[in-house]
Amino acid sequence: MLRASMSYGRGGDPQPFQPIPNVPLLTNGQMVDDIPPEQHALVPSYMGGGGKRIHPLPFADPTVPVQPRSMDPSKDLAAYGYGSVAWKERMEGWKQKQERLQQLRSEGGGDWDVDGDADLPLMDEARQPLSRKVPISSSRINPYRMIIIIRLVVLGFFFHYRVMHPVNDAFALWLISVICEIWFAMSWILDQFPKWLPIERETYLDRLSLRFDKEGQPSQLAPVDFFVSTVDPSKEPPLVTANTVLSILSVDYPVDKVSCYVSDDGAAMLTFEALSETSEFAKKWVPFCKKFNIEPRAPEWYFQQKIDYLKDKVAASFVRERRAMKRDYEEFKVRINALVAKAQKVPEEGWTMQDGSPWPGNNVRDHPGMIQVFLGQSGGRDVEGNELPRLVYVSREKRPGYNHHKKAGAMNALVRVSAVLTNAPYLLNLDCDHYINNSKAIREAMCFMMDPLVGKKVCYVQFPQRFDGIDRHDRYANRNVVFFDINMKGLDGIQGPIYVGTGCVFRRQALYGYDAPKTKKPPSRTCNCWPKWCCCCCCGNKHKKKTTKSKPEKKKRLFFKKAENQSPAYALGEIEEGAPGAETDKAGIVNQQKLEKKFGQSSVFVASTLLENGGTLKSASPASLLKEAIHVISCGYEDKTDWGKEIGWIYGSITEDILTGFKMHCHGWRSIYCIPKRPAFKGSAPLNLSDRLHQVLRWALGSVEIFFSKHCPLWYGYGGGLKFLERFSYINSIVYPWTSIPLLAYCTLPAICLLTGKFITPELSNVASLWFMSLFICIFVTGILEMRWSGVAIDDWWRNEQFWVIGGVSSHLFAVFQGLLKVLAGVDTSFTVTSKAGDDEEFSELYTFKWTTLLIPPTTLLLLNFIGVVAGVSNAINNGYESWGPLFGKLFFAFWVIVHLYPFLKGLVGRQNRTPTIVIVWSILLASIFSLLWVRIDPFLAKNDGPLLEECGLDCN
């Protein structure tokens, strides 16, 4: 039966394939569609045999004559299928290699050199993807999704009860509470649903090296330009910036592919001289890092590590060289400290340089643009004679009367300078206090950017922010673990994480405002190749189009070319029509005027924007390029261009990072969230309460500015490439400061209820109690399951909840009013740089008390709730046992507020005499209760034993 089934449709018994000799090719030995004659397929015409040919598989049947005839490729589609000689040879070779590879793997390794094919495993590994998605296991994520749906249903019944059962004797309190609860529910939905599809990712650095960085061959890794921004050396110490620069210069990446640009927006001579000292120390530090492969490569943090630094070190000279390097670094620190001490006293005539000329940046608000190349191709080799990465100091021009757009303007200046000098296709921006903690971080990003499958649509790769020097309990939620380890993973499963301002690798073309490339659909199936989308690379055949007219090749046209005798002389050469930025007129010639109107009046920079893979113009001299670089950082360069509107970092808010990432996502790009096992970057965070609140105020104010701008996610970007749930996250990022108003009102309600004896809910029935209990259980279970799939610890989650209340009733509230003043009255706010400096004593700044108006609202709330608790307990003592039942609900409400504000209270009290804050709090609370109780008992007043007189109710008149 099996034999009969196998032979069905083949005209008889199946025979093994045997080539038929002396049979002429159907094409008469001529080329058809560029296919060599030896790869043409035989399409025999079967006559007789008693069966119908179903599958066009080649085999020799002596009983069936072969009738050679001329081949018509439009009809004989089978000639391009399984019967082709090229297909058979390719498949047989692939099968043999896979069998040998599987055999060697099953034997546990062995000698890879099988039949002389020593590169077999390398070729197999190099063809693999550079990264992969790791979805959260269904056992962890499905219960989380189920409880979200259940919580939504419970919310519906809860609000039905709340709306249908008003409190008549406290109608105002009831109405305020219902409005606040509805707002909180909407905020929860905006925050919750972008976390519906969380994912994680893995990268394969070994595959990246096999494909782009083979040993003994020139590296094919893409160049990267690093941006470091600094403003005020008094708040951002030069030593901190120096450590960041040193970690960049010693990164594990090809030296000729790395360029570091430092933006000094304060034009401080102290920063310039510190950078000069840093470039000299780098000549010793960089070879030491690469020789012994140390981590991290910021010397300050490397020498502070409290670990066994001899672990995994086998070189006998390591200890000796490490001691020498530590001594060199300490001498370097002394030189930097001397520069800082010298800068404390500014001369009356201003600073002068070594040649006696005045420092151009003596007037911070009125100075020319400055560029200084410290290290690079022109010189600056390390102590071992090896080349060092390029290091460039940049200070853009500033003049009175111009809006320089703060950090966003400085970053855009760096984009243009780097495009003229190096023009790397990828950019990495870092704050001056964020050093590279993982020297392979750039390779991690390249696993996504250079991946041939997913890389073309990736606009940036965002790394999480990690911090040093934070107290063990993270009192003010500086680590922001819930956002970076829960929210961002959720966004990565939709369209990618939002840009957070630092630790991000950009695609330069995405910053230029271009749309993401369209995903090409696989060609239609016109042959029997497998898989269905197989192209001629697999089968050696060329697919036929339905239309008879062939698609003409893209024409190439000259962009522009200046005469060689002009300085500078540049030529872009030939540009493909349809290339990014190649805007053409009706004649097909690239319109230079449109590009210059978009990018600015610089022919060199405009030419660089059309080079998708980067690269500089070879015909220009270094001097002419530097002159052009000075031109592109002039204060008037961006006038009447698209800079800050459609190109680069977007203007309109002090949180330019949200706007910039939002615009890219609206253009159809996606972003990637990369979390290496070793944190990629580490920075510093404000320790004391006041600085932390000011930092949160700046972020919230930026969100309010975006809310009132034309780029508000509520109405901007529809019809583009922004996905629905991604828009939810952006709306949440600009709406959250407004939650401060209902939050402040809701935190005030407990005190009012305790003082007035009223409450926001009527007496609960059994059904109502069920909905209340169900809602509280859903809230707790959601948090528990969220921590379960994300790996966030419960103390981090609780700190985040506490600071949400602290920041909401202080910084967010002030941000809303400042934003309204700016929009309605035009009152602008000054940009405050967060201090990166700290005391010598560990965590000493944590206890520093700095009074600010931001402390007033939460302090008032604490006092009100304390007074309310005392008043409520006293009232219950006065009225007897019947009043204790309703009191418990009010007390729970008040204690909810006090517990959330507890870290604020600790910061407010400070260290004092190291008295535990909880002792102080309970002392005040209990003292107040007992004082009122003592007054109520009145032990020193004489008791009246006379008759008790009561009103009888009769009218004696």
Side-chain angles (χ1 to χ4, degrees), residues 897-949:
V897 176
I898 295 172
V899 168
H900 277 79
L901 292 176
Y902 178 68
F904 172 83
L905 187 60
K906 290 186 70 174
L908 196 65
V909 174
R911 187 187 307 214
Q912 300 297 333
N913 294 320
R914 298 186 180 270
T915 304
T917 308
I918 193 67
V919 174
I920 300 173
V921 173
W922 281 106
S923 298
I924 297 174
L925 187 61
L926 293 175
S928 303
I929 293 174
F930 284 119
S931 299
L932 291 173
L933 184 61
W934 182 265
V935 172
R936 169 62 183 168
I937 295 174
D938 294 335
F940 297 105
L941 294 180
K943 299 296 186 291
N944 187 4
D945 296 332
L948 181 63
L949 301 178

Side-chain angles (χ1 to χ4, degrees), residues 596-648:
E596 291 189 349
K597 184 178 179 180
K598 179 178 181 179
F599 292 106
Q601 300 293 322
S602 171
S603 53
V604 177
F605 175 72
V606 170
S608 70
T609 62
L610 302 178
L611 302 175
E612 187 174 359
N613 296 322
T616 56
L617 305 175
K618 304 299 182 183
S619 58
S621 64
S624 62
L625 290 179
L626 278 175
K627 183 179 179 181
E628 194 70 18
I630 291 290
H631 168 61
V632 298
I633 61 173
S634 58
C635 55
Y637 182 83
E638 295 182 355
D639 292 347
K640 299 180 180 179
T641 66
D642 287 347
W643 284 101
K645 303 170 187 174
E646 299 293 334
I647 305 173

Side-chain angles (χ1 to χ4, degrees), residues 727-757:
R727 183 179 295 277
F728 261 41
S729 70
Y730 276 110
I731 292 175
N732 185 47
S733 68
I734 59 102
V735 167
Y736 78 90
W738 297 92
T739 308
S740 60
I741 298 176
L743 183 61
L744 181 67
Y746 208 69
C747 290
T748 310
L749 288 177
I752 297 176
C753 292
L754 287 167
L755 291 171
T756 59

Side-chain angles (χ1 to χ4, degrees), residues 693-715:
L693 290 178
H694 276 291
Q695 183 187 55
V696 176
L697 170 65
R698 186 170 69 249
W699 295 343
L701 180 59
S703 295
V704 175
E705 290 174 343
I706 298 173
F707 183 85
F708 287 112
S709 71
K710 70 173 185 178
H711 294 115
C712 178
L714 285 169
W715 49 74

